[in-house]
Amino acid sequence: MSISADVRALPGAPPVALTANGKVLSTMPNRLGYLSPTDPSVGVEAIRRLYAAQGYVWLKGLLPRGEVIDFRGWVLSHLAESGLLKPATDPSLGVASDSAFDRQRAERRLMSLVRSTAYEGFCAQPRLSRLMDAFTGGLSYLHKRKIMRFTLPGSSTTTPAHYDLVYLRGGTSRVVTAWIPIGDTSIDMGGLVYLEGSHAIGTALETQFARDNADLSPAERISAYNRNMTEGGWVSKDLPEMAERFDTRWLMADFEAGDIVLHSPYMIHASTTNQSRNGLIRLSTDIRYQNVDDEIDARWSNHWSLDDML
């Protein structure tokens, strides 16, 4: 595999009409493209260069595929008590139940899972931690607040467009997000999409925010819910309008178990609706690393909770 494929050379239209928050992206083919895959064997210096140029690096097969699929099965087997899974199916497949499930029970269990030793071990496995030590140029620090999400087919829930520094302003800006699809995540399952070149846009937006909000209290400046931000710190819910406004494209991918994406804290990204043709649950985790010697946002020193307002 080449270091980074030309996204314009990748063939094919998306298999479904991509949607997010009721807006259809697929009606504008000039506003859609594909992420460029990178072979992890190119080495950390090449990975750093691509990260700086693109705002992201999609590392193909960094993690052992079988271990990721086994972990998917372990997570979903613990969520199955809520009625989330189709009865008598392999939990690692993640086939969603045709019947209603107890969402509150599933979310309570999810809050337990992100506090578990098994989940911590998955996020801190040696292959990933060694890469992040090299990438951050020293000893890497893995933030305690780590997020895991499940999304059912047909769910209206999608993540609006945002960049991560909005939620991490209390520490260094040299934070790196690792987004990990837990299992194969085809385009129709609604994985993350990235606004091409938007790490420059996010940097400009953040500079403008700092200039316009210098009179806010320190606590309000670092909050994604301050009075001068959109709801929840989002840049926009209208993904097609954003691509038009910034004259760029949303980049998508068919992710496989073992892939990870590293992205800049300024890179604008979102998720699309899970329209899995096979009725599969999308499962993923997003975790943050930085050099341990850089300033750490103290708000991220607690486990993730759904109501923690971050």
Side-chain angles (χ1 to χ4, degrees), residues 103-131:
R103 176 169 288 277
Q104 285 191 337
R105 188 173 184 181
E107 290 178 345
R108 284 197 302 271
R109 174 53 65 185
L110 192 63
M111 294 301 94
S112 298
L113 292 175
V114 297
R115 290 158 171 75
S116 71
T117 301
Y119 174 65
E120 184 74 25
F122 178 81
C123 295
Q125 55 187 286
R127 190 173 303 203
L128 187 51
S129 61
R130 284 195 297 266
L131 170 66

PDB file of all heavy atoms in Angstrom, residues 103-131:
ATOM      1  N   ARG A 103     -33.078   1.281  26.485  1.00  0.00           N
ATOM      2  CA  ARG A 103     -31.929   2.153  26.250  1.00  0.00           C
ATOM      3  C   ARG A 103     -31.269   2.572  27.552  1.00  0.00           C
ATOM      4  O   ARG A 103     -30.025   2.613  27.639  1.00  0.00           O
ATOM      5  CB  ARG A 103     -32.339   3.379  25.434  1.00  0.00           C
ATOM      6  CG  ARG A 103     -31.202   4.377  25.237  1.00  0.00           C
ATOM      7  CD  ARG A 103     -31.511   5.442  24.227  1.00  0.00           C
ATOM      8  NE  ARG A 103     -31.519   4.923  22.869  1.00  0.00           N
ATOM      9  CZ  ARG A 103     -30.420   4.771  22.139  1.00  0.00           C
ATOM     10  NH1 ARG A 103     -29.223   5.073  22.643  1.00  0.00           N
ATOM     11  NH2 ARG A 103     -30.511   4.309  20.909  1.00  0.00           N
ATOM     12  N   GLN A 104     -32.041   2.905  28.561  1.00  0.00           N
ATOM     13  CA  GLN A 104     -31.445   3.345  29.820  1.00  0.00           C
ATOM     14  C   GLN A 104     -30.576   2.240  30.423  1.00  0.00           C
ATOM     15  O   GLN A 104     -29.479   2.508  30.940  1.00  0.00           O
ATOM     16  CB  GLN A 104     -32.538   3.743  30.814  1.00  0.00           C
ATOM     17  CG  GLN A 104     -33.181   5.090  30.495  1.00  0.00           C
ATOM     18  CD  GLN A 104     -34.063   5.576  31.621  1.00  0.00           C
ATOM     19  OE1 GLN A 104     -34.540   4.795  32.444  1.00  0.00           O
ATOM     20  NE2 GLN A 104     -34.294   6.872  31.661  1.00  0.00           N
ATOM     21  N   ARG A 105     -31.044   1.004  30.325  1.00  0.00           N
ATOM     22  CA  ARG A 105     -30.261  -0.111  30.846  1.00  0.00           C
ATOM     23  C   ARG A 105     -28.965  -0.284  30.049  1.00  0.00           C
ATOM     24  O   ARG A 105     -27.897  -0.506  30.622  1.00  0.00           O
ATOM     25  CB  ARG A 105     -31.089  -1.394  30.801  1.00  0.00           C
ATOM     26  CG  ARG A 105     -30.434  -2.575  31.496  1.00  0.00           C
ATOM     27  CD  ARG A 105     -31.403  -3.746  31.561  1.00  0.00           C
ATOM     28  NE  ARG A 105     -30.837  -4.860  32.292  1.00  0.00           N
ATOM     29  CZ  ARG A 105     -31.454  -6.016  32.493  1.00  0.00           C
ATOM     30  NH1 ARG A 105     -32.694  -6.188  32.021  1.00  0.00           N
ATOM     31  NH2 ARG A 105     -30.867  -6.990  33.165  1.00  0.00           N
ATOM     32  N   ALA A 106     -29.066  -0.154  28.730  1.00  0.00           N
ATOM     33  CA  ALA A 106     -27.875  -0.275  27.889  1.00  0.00           C
ATOM     34  C   ALA A 106     -26.877   0.833  28.194  1.00  0.00           C
ATOM     35  O   ALA A 106     -25.662   0.590  28.269  1.00  0.00           O
ATOM     36  CB  ALA A 106     -28.280  -0.236  26.415  1.00  0.00           C
ATOM     37  N   GLU A 107     -27.350   2.047  28.396  1.00  0.00           N
ATOM     38  CA  GLU A 107     -26.450   3.162  28.667  1.00  0.00           C
ATOM     39  C   GLU A 107     -25.814   3.041  30.051  1.00  0.00           C
ATOM     40  O   GLU A 107     -24.641   3.394  30.230  1.00  0.00           O
ATOM     41  CB  GLU A 107     -27.201   4.482  28.505  1.00  0.00           C
ATOM     42  CG  GLU A 107     -27.550   4.775  27.046  1.00  0.00           C
ATOM     43  CD  GLU A 107     -28.334   6.043  26.848  1.00  0.00           C
ATOM     44  OE1 GLU A 107     -28.881   6.578  27.861  1.00  0.00           O
ATOM     45  OE2 GLU A 107     -28.424   6.526  25.714  1.00  0.00           O
ATOM     46  N   ARG A 108     -26.551   2.543  31.029  1.00  0.00           N
ATOM     47  CA  ARG A 108     -25.961   2.301  32.351  1.00  0.00           C
ATOM     48  C   ARG A 108     -24.845   1.266  32.245  1.00  0.00           C
ATOM     49  O   ARG A 108     -23.778   1.416  32.854  1.00  0.00           O
ATOM     50  CB  ARG A 108     -27.026   1.838  33.345  1.00  0.00           C
ATOM     51  CG  ARG A 108     -27.949   2.942  33.850  1.00  0.00           C
ATOM     52  CD  ARG A 108     -28.694   2.515  35.106  1.00  0.00           C
ATOM     53  NE  ARG A 108     -29.487   1.316  34.897  1.00  0.00           N
ATOM     54  CZ  ARG A 108     -30.749   1.305  34.476  1.00  0.00           C
ATOM     55  NH1 ARG A 108     -31.363   2.458  34.197  1.00  0.00           N
ATOM     56  NH2 ARG A 108     -31.410   0.174  34.322  1.00  0.00           N
ATOM     57  N   ARG A 109     -25.087   0.217  31.478  1.00  0.00           N
ATOM     58  CA  ARG A 109     -24.070  -0.807  31.295  1.00  0.00           C
ATOM     59  C   ARG A 109     -22.858  -0.236  30.560  1.00  0.00           C
ATOM     60  O   ARG A 109     -21.717  -0.558  30.898  1.00  0.00           O
ATOM     61  CB  ARG A 109     -24.659  -1.991  30.525  1.00  0.00           C
ATOM     62  CG  ARG A 109     -23.660  -3.085  30.145  1.00  0.00           C
ATOM     63  CD  ARG A 109     -22.872  -3.596  31.323  1.00  0.00           C
ATOM     64  NE  ARG A 109     -23.707  -4.277  32.293  1.00  0.00           N
ATOM     65  CZ  ARG A 109     -23.269  -4.739  33.466  1.00  0.00           C
ATOM     66  NH1 ARG A 109     -21.989  -4.555  33.793  1.00  0.00           N
ATOM     67  NH2 ARG A 109     -24.084  -5.347  34.295  1.00  0.00           N
ATOM     68  N   LEU A 110     -23.094   0.634  29.578  1.00  0.00           N
ATOM     69  CA  LEU A 110     -21.997   1.251  28.844  1.00  0.00           C
ATOM     70  C   LEU A 110     -21.118   2.074  29.787  1.00  0.00           C
ATOM     71  O   LEU A 110     -19.884   2.053  29.680  1.00  0.00           O
ATOM     72  CB  LEU A 110     -22.555   2.133  27.727  1.00  0.00           C
ATOM     73  CG  LEU A 110     -21.570   2.650  26.683  1.00  0.00           C
ATOM     74  CD1 LEU A 110     -20.949   1.497  25.907  1.00  0.00           C
ATOM     75  CD2 LEU A 110     -22.259   3.620  25.731  1.00  0.00           C
ATOM     76  N   MET A 111     -21.728   2.793  30.729  1.00  0.00           N
ATOM     77  CA  MET A 111     -20.963   3.567  31.698  1.00  0.00           C
ATOM     78  C   MET A 111     -20.103   2.656  32.577  1.00  0.00           C
ATOM     79  O   MET A 111     -19.014   3.049  33.021  1.00  0.00           O
ATOM     80  CB  MET A 111     -21.898   4.403  32.579  1.00  0.00           C
ATOM     81  CG  MET A 111     -22.659   5.507  31.849  1.00  0.00           C
ATOM     82  SD  MET A 111     -21.619   6.744  31.025  1.00  0.00           S
ATOM     83  CE  MET A 111     -21.535   6.075  29.362  1.00  0.00           C
ATOM     84  N   SER A 112     -20.560   1.436  32.825  1.00  0.00           N
ATOM     85  CA  SER A 112     -19.743   0.468  33.571  1.00  0.00           C
ATOM     86  C   SER A 112     -18.592  -0.042  32.716  1.00  0.00           C
ATOM     87  O   SER A 112     -17.453  -0.181  33.188  1.00  0.00           O
ATOM     88  CB  SER A 112     -20.608  -0.715  34.033  1.00  0.00           C
ATOM     89  OG  SER A 112     -21.615  -0.298  34.912  1.00  0.00           O
ATOM     90  N   LEU A 113     -18.875  -0.312  31.447  1.00  0.00           N
ATOM     91  CA  LEU A 113     -17.856  -0.878  30.569  1.00  0.00           C
ATOM     92  C   LEU A 113     -16.679   0.062  30.387  1.00  0.00           C
ATOM     93  O   LEU A 113     -15.517  -0.376  30.321  1.00  0.00           O
ATOM     94  CB  LEU A 113     -18.468  -1.228  29.212  1.00  0.00           C
ATOM     95  CG  LEU A 113     -19.473  -2.385  29.201  1.00  0.00           C
ATOM     96  CD1 LEU A 113     -20.096  -2.542  27.821  1.00  0.00           C
ATOM     97  CD2 LEU A 113     -18.817  -3.687  29.630  1.00  0.00           C
ATOM     98  N   VAL A 114     -16.938   1.383  30.285  1.00  0.00           N
ATOM     99  CA  VAL A 114     -15.824   2.313  30.069  1.00  0.00           C
ATOM    100  C   VAL A 114     -14.972   2.477  31.331  1.00  0.00           C
ATOM    101  O   VAL A 114     -13.893   3.087  31.263  1.00  0.00           O
ATOM    102  CB  VAL A 114     -16.307   3.700  29.569  1.00  0.00           C
ATOM    103  CG1 VAL A 114     -16.996   3.578  28.224  1.00  0.00           C
ATOM    104  CG2 VAL A 114     -17.180   4.405  30.592  1.00  0.00           C
ATOM    105  N   ARG A 115     -15.417   1.934  32.436  1.00  0.00           N
ATOM    106  CA  ARG A 115     -14.637   1.944  33.673  1.00  0.00           C
ATOM    107  C   ARG A 115     -13.921   0.617  33.918  1.00  0.00           C
ATOM    108  O   ARG A 115     -13.232   0.468  34.930  1.00  0.00           O
ATOM    109  CB  ARG A 115     -15.559   2.263  34.860  1.00  0.00           C
ATOM    110  CG  ARG A 115     -16.051   3.708  34.866  1.00  0.00           C
ATOM    111  CD  ARG A 115     -17.324   3.882  35.679  1.00  0.00           C
ATOM    112  NE  ARG A 115     -17.661   5.290  35.861  1.00  0.00           N
ATOM    113  CZ  ARG A 115     -18.179   6.080  34.928  1.00  0.00           C
ATOM    114  NH1 ARG A 115     -18.429   5.594  33.714  1.00  0.00           N
ATOM    115  NH2 ARG A 115     -18.468   7.338  35.169  1.00  0.00           N
ATOM    116  N   SER A 116     -14.064  -0.313  33.010  1.00  0.00           N
ATOM    117  CA  SER A 116     -13.564  -1.672  33.228  1.00  0.00           C
ATOM    118  C   SER A 116     -12.096  -1.820  32.859  1.00  0.00           C
ATOM    119  O   SER A 116     -11.552  -1.086  32.030  1.00  0.00           O
ATOM    120  CB  SER A 116     -14.397  -2.674  32.413  1.00  0.00           C
ATOM    121  OG  SER A 116     -14.132  -2.534  31.028  1.00  0.00           O
ATOM    122  N   THR A 117     -11.462  -2.814  33.468  1.00  0.00           N
ATOM    123  CA  THR A 117     -10.069  -3.134  33.155  1.00  0.00           C
ATOM    124  C   THR A 117      -9.927  -3.568  31.704  1.00  0.00           C
ATOM    125  O   THR A 117      -8.950  -3.206  31.028  1.00  0.00           O
ATOM    126  CB  THR A 117      -9.582  -4.256  34.081  1.00  0.00           C
ATOM    127  OG1 THR A 117      -9.703  -3.832  35.436  1.00  0.00           O
ATOM    128  CG2 THR A 117      -8.131  -4.610  33.805  1.00  0.00           C
ATOM    129  N   ALA A 118     -10.888  -4.347  31.200  1.00  0.00           N
ATOM    130  CA  ALA A 118     -10.803  -4.845  29.823  1.00  0.00           C
ATOM    131  C   ALA A 118     -10.808  -3.701  28.818  1.00  0.00           C
ATOM    132  O   ALA A 118     -10.044  -3.709  27.843  1.00  0.00           O
ATOM    133  CB  ALA A 118     -11.958  -5.808  29.548  1.00  0.00           C
ATOM    134  N   TYR A 119     -11.662  -2.715  29.030  1.00  0.00           N
ATOM    135  CA  TYR A 119     -11.716  -1.567  28.117  1.00  0.00           C
ATOM    136  C   TYR A 119     -10.437  -0.746  28.215  1.00  0.00           C
ATOM    137  O   TYR A 119      -9.874  -0.317  27.201  1.00  0.00           O
ATOM    138  CB  TYR A 119     -12.944  -0.716  28.434  1.00  0.00           C
ATOM    139  CG  TYR A 119     -13.040   0.582  27.648  1.00  0.00           C
ATOM    140  CD1 TYR A 119     -13.200   0.569  26.268  1.00  0.00           C
ATOM    141  CD2 TYR A 119     -12.970   1.811  28.291  1.00  0.00           C
ATOM    142  CE1 TYR A 119     -13.287   1.755  25.544  1.00  0.00           C
ATOM    143  CE2 TYR A 119     -13.067   2.995  27.588  1.00  0.00           C
ATOM    144  CZ  TYR A 119     -13.223   2.968  26.216  1.00  0.00           C
ATOM    145  OH  TYR A 119     -13.305   4.134  25.505  1.00  0.00           O
ATOM    146  N   GLU A 120      -9.962  -0.526  29.430  1.00  0.00           N
ATOM    147  CA  GLU A 120      -8.714   0.213  29.614  1.00  0.00           C
ATOM    148  C   GLU A 120      -7.571  -0.490  28.881  1.00  0.00           C
ATOM    149  O   GLU A 120      -6.748   0.154  28.217  1.00  0.00           O
ATOM    150  CB  GLU A 120      -8.384   0.326  31.109  1.00  0.00           C
ATOM    151  CG  GLU A 120      -7.162   1.155  31.422  1.00  0.00           C
ATOM    152  CD  GLU A 120      -7.376   2.643  31.255  1.00  0.00           C
ATOM    153  OE1 GLU A 120      -8.531   3.099  31.355  1.00  0.00           O
ATOM    154  OE2 GLU A 120      -6.378   3.357  31.016  1.00  0.00           O
ATOM    155  N   GLY A 121      -7.542  -1.818  28.989  1.00  0.00           N
ATOM    156  CA  GLY A 121      -6.503  -2.581  28.314  1.00  0.00           C
ATOM    157  C   GLY A 121      -6.588  -2.475  26.805  1.00  0.00           C
ATOM    158  O   GLY A 121      -5.562  -2.401  26.118  1.00  0.00           O
ATOM    159  N   PHE A 122      -7.812  -2.459  26.271  1.00  0.00           N
ATOM    160  CA  PHE A 122      -7.987  -2.311  24.826  1.00  0.00           C
ATOM    161  C   PHE A 122      -7.440  -0.964  24.360  1.00  0.00           C
ATOM    162  O   PHE A 122      -6.751  -0.876  23.337  1.00  0.00           O
ATOM    163  CB  PHE A 122      -9.470  -2.439  24.471  1.00  0.00           C
ATOM    164  CG  PHE A 122      -9.759  -2.263  23.005  1.00  0.00           C
ATOM    165  CD1 PHE A 122      -9.571  -3.304  22.118  1.00  0.00           C
ATOM    166  CD2 PHE A 122     -10.222  -1.045  22.506  1.00  0.00           C
ATOM    167  CE1 PHE A 122      -9.830  -3.146  20.755  1.00  0.00           C
ATOM    168  CE2 PHE A 122     -10.482  -0.880  21.161  1.00  0.00           C
ATOM    169  CZ  PHE A 122     -10.289  -1.937  20.282  1.00  0.00           C
ATOM    170  N   CYS A 123      -7.722   0.085  25.114  1.00  0.00           N
ATOM    171  CA  CYS A 123      -7.291   1.432  24.723  1.00  0.00           C
ATOM    172  C   CYS A 123      -5.786   1.640  24.916  1.00  0.00           C
ATOM    173  O   CYS A 123      -5.193   2.487  24.239  1.00  0.00           O
ATOM    174  CB  CYS A 123      -8.050   2.481  25.533  1.00  0.00           C
ATOM    175  SG  CYS A 123      -9.832   2.525  25.212  1.00  0.00           S
ATOM    176  N   ALA A 124      -5.197   0.895  25.830  1.00  0.00           N
ATOM    177  CA  ALA A 124      -3.788   1.090  26.162  1.00  0.00           C
ATOM    178  C   ALA A 124      -2.916  -0.065  25.679  1.00  0.00           C
ATOM    179  O   ALA A 124      -1.803  -0.237  26.174  1.00  0.00           O
ATOM    180  CB  ALA A 124      -3.636   1.260  27.674  1.00  0.00           C
ATOM    181  N   GLN A 125      -3.401  -0.845  24.709  1.00  0.00           N
ATOM    182  CA  GLN A 125      -2.630  -1.999  24.237  1.00  0.00           C
ATOM    183  C   GLN A 125      -1.285  -1.541  23.684  1.00  0.00           C
ATOM    184  O   GLN A 125      -1.159  -0.445  23.112  1.00  0.00           O
ATOM    185  CB  GLN A 125      -3.416  -2.791  23.208  1.00  0.00           C
ATOM    186  CG  GLN A 125      -3.908  -2.015  22.020  1.00  0.00           C
ATOM    187  CD  GLN A 125      -4.832  -2.851  21.138  1.00  0.00           C
ATOM    188  OE1 GLN A 125      -4.375  -3.730  20.436  1.00  0.00           O
ATOM    189  NE2 GLN A 125      -6.131  -2.568  21.217  1.00  0.00           N
ATOM    190  N   PRO A 126      -0.252  -2.365  23.848  1.00  0.00           N
ATOM    191  CA  PRO A 126       1.119  -1.939  23.529  1.00  0.00           C
ATOM    192  C   PRO A 126       1.307  -1.411  22.111  1.00  0.00           C
ATOM    193  O   PRO A 126       2.024  -0.424  21.912  1.00  0.00           O
ATOM    194  CB  PRO A 126       1.931  -3.220  23.766  1.00  0.00           C
ATOM    195  CG  PRO A 126       1.160  -3.965  24.804  1.00  0.00           C
ATOM    196  CD  PRO A 126      -0.281  -3.696  24.488  1.00  0.00           C
ATOM    197  N   ARG A 127       0.674  -2.021  21.131  1.00  0.00           N
ATOM    198  CA  ARG A 127       0.882  -1.570  19.751  1.00  0.00           C
ATOM    199  C   ARG A 127       0.444  -0.114  19.579  1.00  0.00           C
ATOM    200  O   ARG A 127       1.085   0.663  18.870  1.00  0.00           O
ATOM    201  CB  ARG A 127       0.106  -2.475  18.790  1.00  0.00           C
ATOM    202  CG  ARG A 127       0.451  -2.237  17.328  1.00  0.00           C
ATOM    203  CD  ARG A 127      -0.202  -3.242  16.420  1.00  0.00           C
ATOM    204  NE  ARG A 127       0.140  -4.610  16.773  1.00  0.00           N
ATOM    205  CZ  ARG A 127       0.091  -5.635  15.929  1.00  0.00           C
ATOM    206  NH1 ARG A 127      -0.283  -5.442  14.683  1.00  0.00           N
ATOM    207  NH2 ARG A 127       0.410  -6.842  16.322  1.00  0.00           N
ATOM    208  N   LEU A 128      -0.646   0.253  20.249  1.00  0.00           N
ATOM    209  CA  LEU A 128      -1.151   1.622  20.153  1.00  0.00           C
ATOM    210  C   LEU A 128      -0.349   2.575  21.037  1.00  0.00           C
ATOM    211  O   LEU A 128      -0.001   3.682  20.621  1.00  0.00           O
ATOM    212  CB  LEU A 128      -2.635   1.637  20.544  1.00  0.00           C
ATOM    213  CG  LEU A 128      -3.410   2.929  20.371  1.00  0.00           C
ATOM    214  CD1 LEU A 128      -3.245   3.506  18.973  1.00  0.00           C
ATOM    215  CD2 LEU A 128      -4.896   2.702  20.682  1.00  0.00           C
ATOM    216  N   SER A 129      -0.032   2.140  22.250  1.00  0.00           N
ATOM    217  CA  SER A 129       0.689   3.041  23.160  1.00  0.00           C
ATOM    218  C   SER A 129       2.100   3.326  22.662  1.00  0.00           C
ATOM    219  O   SER A 129       2.604   4.451  22.799  1.00  0.00           O
ATOM    220  CB  SER A 129       0.717   2.463  24.576  1.00  0.00           C
ATOM    221  OG  SER A 129       1.381   1.218  24.612  1.00  0.00           O
ATOM    222  N   ARG A 130       2.747   2.336  22.049  1.00  0.00           N
ATOM    223  CA  ARG A 130       4.083   2.588  21.495  1.00  0.00           C
ATOM    224  C   ARG A 130       4.026   3.602  20.348  1.00  0.00           C
ATOM    225  O   ARG A 130       4.884   4.481  20.234  1.00  0.00           O
ATOM    226  CB  ARG A 130       4.710   1.278  21.016  1.00  0.00           C
ATOM    227  CG  ARG A 130       5.225   0.390  22.146  1.00  0.00           C
ATOM    228  CD  ARG A 130       6.145  -0.698  21.605  1.00  0.00           C
ATOM    229  NE  ARG A 130       5.457  -1.606  20.699  1.00  0.00           N
ATOM    230  CZ  ARG A 130       4.894  -2.760  21.078  1.00  0.00           C
ATOM    231  NH1 ARG A 130       4.936  -3.126  22.355  1.00  0.00           N
ATOM    232  NH2 ARG A 130       4.294  -3.539  20.203  1.00  0.00           N
ATOM    233  N   LEU A 131       3.007   3.464  19.501  1.00  0.00           N
ATOM    234  CA  LEU A 131       2.852   4.431  18.417  1.00  0.00           C
ATOM    235  C   LEU A 131       2.648   5.831  18.974  1.00  0.00           C
ATOM    236  O   LEU A 131       3.260   6.805  18.500  1.00  0.00           O
ATOM    237  CB  LEU A 131       1.667   4.052  17.531  1.00  0.00           C
ATOM    238  CG  LEU A 131       1.254   5.116  16.504  1.00  0.00           C
ATOM    239  CD1 LEU A 131       2.341   5.315  15.457  1.00  0.00           C
ATOM    240  CD2 LEU A 131      -0.071   4.766  15.842  1.00  0.00           C
TER     241      LEU A 131
END
